[in-house]
Amino acid sequence: MPSARNVVRIDPVTRELVLEGGESLRPRSLVLATGVTGRRLEIGGTAPGSLSPLRTERQSLTAIVTLIRPMTSPASSPSFS
């Protein structure tokens, strides 16, 4: 597996990536991930710290299941059999 190297230039015309040291690559596709810094949002009417950022699909699904579970009971759950 190739090691991580920094891209110093992207040529949109030739679709080449120029790496540190001058080597160039022409990938078939490219994902440009510049990074992220999470920040807490304050929404009126909520207690401070009561909102949590969801950064992964698993965190999102867990939050949805946690929110839905109290609203359903065996009597009101649909049967798929």
Side-chain angles (χ1 to χ4, degrees):
M1 176 168 220
S3 62
R5 294 174 282 170
N6 291 326
V7 174
V8 294
R9 191 178 85 231
I10 300 173
D11 187 327
V13 176
T14 64
R15 300 180 70 163
E16 286 185 330
L17 306 177
V18 180
L19 306 176
E20 289 176 330
E23 182 183 356
S24 63
L25 303 171
R26 264 186 103 186
R28 285 187 295 192
S29 59
L30 173 68
V31 174
L32 184 60
T34 61
V36 65
T37 301
R39 62 185 174 124
R40 296 259 179 211
L41 300 175
E42 298 302 326
I43 298 175
T46 62
S50 65
L51 302 175
S52 297
L54 303 174
R55 293 191 175 99
T56 65
E57 181 180 11
R58 178 176 222 134
Q59 288 175 334
S60 299
L61 293 173
T62 300
I64 290 168
V65 169
T66 302
L67 290 171
I68 291 173
R69 190 173 290 143
M71 298 180 344
T72 61
S73 66
S76 65
S77 295
S79 173
F80 297 105
S81 53

